Amino acid sequence: MTVPNRRRARGGGRAAAQKRFYAAHGYLVIPDLLTARELARLRAALATLLRSARRLRRSNDKFMIVRGLDNAHHVSRIRNPIAHHRRFHELVFHPRILDVVENLIGPNLQLQQSRLILKPRTPGAWFDWHQDFPAFPHTNFDLLIVTVYLDDSMLDNGCLTVIPGSHRLGPLPHRFTFDGAPRTQLVDPRERSDTSRWLKTPVPAGGIQVHHANLLHSSEANLTDRPRSALQLWYRAADNVQVGGWTEFAGWGLQVRGVDPGIVRMDAATCQLPGGLALPPATPVRPGRVNRPR
């Protein structure tokens, strides 16, 4: 579903249509959420960060580096971007983004993580079919990913491919590997073997894509000369506690809207634990703080 979003997503027929579509299909595209000025500021922030990585030849705790088809070194991921530039930190609280998220998973919202994914011209910048939830399991399924596109994400430069409705399968078995960054891969290829169900979802710069953490999705490499940069903000309901996977993210548990109700809501489901750090279910999640980057 592709819908304009020039008015608030809380209330009204448009919000109800978005909620119904997301519940049925597991994703949502809003092509014009950011203004031209907002987009320009985010692009300038990205350019500032990339200038600091110009001489890097190997990955570190901030940048993931890959070698491109031009034999040069390129940044393919910026870890914890909200800790490195105030524009990205401010975007976490963007009211139009939070209106969309609130409409889908409720009024009490926390941040789970942020990442900035770039797709330089290299065959290595791709993602196999996977769900996000199994790498970061929670006590319920109100966990979603908002991808804010700083460049056009088109059919030929690696836009996301989804299987609509696959989020209703629940968490599926995955392999967990580390290839410079954590990777997850669907174990049973039969779950994605029907290519007639695959749907490519292009999004213009300034738009957002929202997907459920159990939605099966993948993306191809960018073999064009055009960049494809996207900021991901992962949000969860405040009564949804992470029980597995890595938690050492800038802003993890940050209360971004509403309140922490001090309760844990648990869905009946089974999910393989990926390993790594997480809070036990009985540990209360308190709103975190992240130092505002300059």
Side-chain angles (χ1 to χ4, degrees):
M1 181 185 191
T2 302
V3 292
N5 191 53
R6 287 307 185 198
R7 68 179 185 182
R8 290 175 68 84
R10 283 201 249 176
R14 181 171 298 163
Q18 289 181 13
K19 190 168 185 176
R20 287 193 301 269
F21 188 92
Y22 177 81
H25 301 282
Y27 77 96
L28 198 64
V29 171
I30 300 175
D32 58 352
L33 186 129
L34 297 180
T35 66
R37 185 178 183 183
E38 289 169 336
L39 178 60
R41 286 176 170 175
L42 291 172
R43 285 175 165 171
L46 174 58
T48 297
L49 293 184
L50 292 180
R51 281 196 293 272
S52 69
R54 280 180 300 185
R55 300 184 187 280
L56 286 180
R57 295 296 179 266
R58 61 180 63 183
S59 301
N60 57 27
D61 59 358
K62 182 175 178 181
F63 298 106
M64 181 175 172
I65 306 296
V66 297
R67 190 181 289 262
L69 291 177
D70 57 1
N71 211 35
H73 293 82
H74 301 273
V75 175
S76 66
R77 180 176 297 197
I78 300 176
R79 302 177 174 102
N80 295 312
I82 66 168
H84 305 311
H85 200 288
R86 66 183 180 87
R87 296 292 184 198
F88 299 133
H89 182 268
E90 291 167 354
L91 195 67
V92 170
F93 302 92
H94 195 298
R96 292 195 299 278
I97 292 177
L98 293 183
D99 286 349
V100 173
V101 177
E102 177 179 344
N103 182 45
L104 300 179
I105 61 173
N108 300 319
L109 303 173
Q110 293 179 348
L111 184 72
Q112 194 271 335
Q113 64 171 289
S114 68
R115 56 177 70 172
L116 213 163
I117 299 173
L118 297 90
K119 281 202 172 187
R121 188 171 182 260
T122 170
W126 57 274
F127 293 94
D128 206 343
W129 284 102
H130 68 283
Q131 300 169 315
D132 293 317
F133 187 93
F136 304 96
H138 282 62
T139 58
N140 64 68
F141 296 141
D142 280 341
L143 172 69
L144 56 74
I145 294 85
V146 176
T147 304
V148 183
Y149 287 95
L150 308 188
D151 301 304
D152 292 338
S153 177
M154 297 289 110
L155 300 178
D156 61 348
N157 72 339
C159 73
L160 206 66
T161 302
V162 304
I163 299 180
S166 58
H167 64 300
R168 289 175 289 178
L169 297 171
L172 300 170
H174 282 66
R175 298 183 184 92
F176 302 100
T177 62
F178 193 90
D179 182 18
R183 278 189 181 274
T184 55
Q185 182 185 57
L186 184 66
V187 169
D188 189 348
R190 291 174 296 181
E191 297 291 355
R192 46 84 171 166
S193 60
D194 183 0
T195 57
S196 68
R197 298 173 58 208
W198 297 8
L199 178 68
K200 290 184 180 294
T201 55
V203 185
I208 69 169
Q209 182 170 51
V210 184
H211 72 266
H212 191 287
N214 278 329
L215 184 73
L216 282 169
H217 60 286
S218 68
S219 66
E220 298 175 353
N222 176 16
L223 300 181
T224 73
D225 292 325
R226 305 191 316 276
R228 204 227 69 171
S229 306
L231 176 67
Q232 284 193 343
L233 302 173
W234 295 43
Y235 294 102
R236 64 185 176 212
D239 59 1
N240 189 14
V241 175
Q242 187 174 341
V243 296
W246 189 252
T247 63
E248 299 301 305
F249 300 108
W252 184 88
L254 180 67
Q255 194 78 33
V256 297
R257 178 170 281 187
V259 298
D260 181 350
I263 60 173
V264 176
R265 178 166 46 95
M266 292 179 283
D267 288 342
T270 301
C271 182
Q272 174 189 0
L273 290 175
L277 301 177
L279 290 178
T283 304
V285 179
R286 290 187 289 272
R289 294 191 63 187
V290 60
N291 294 329
R292 284 179 60 86
R294 296 182 178 181

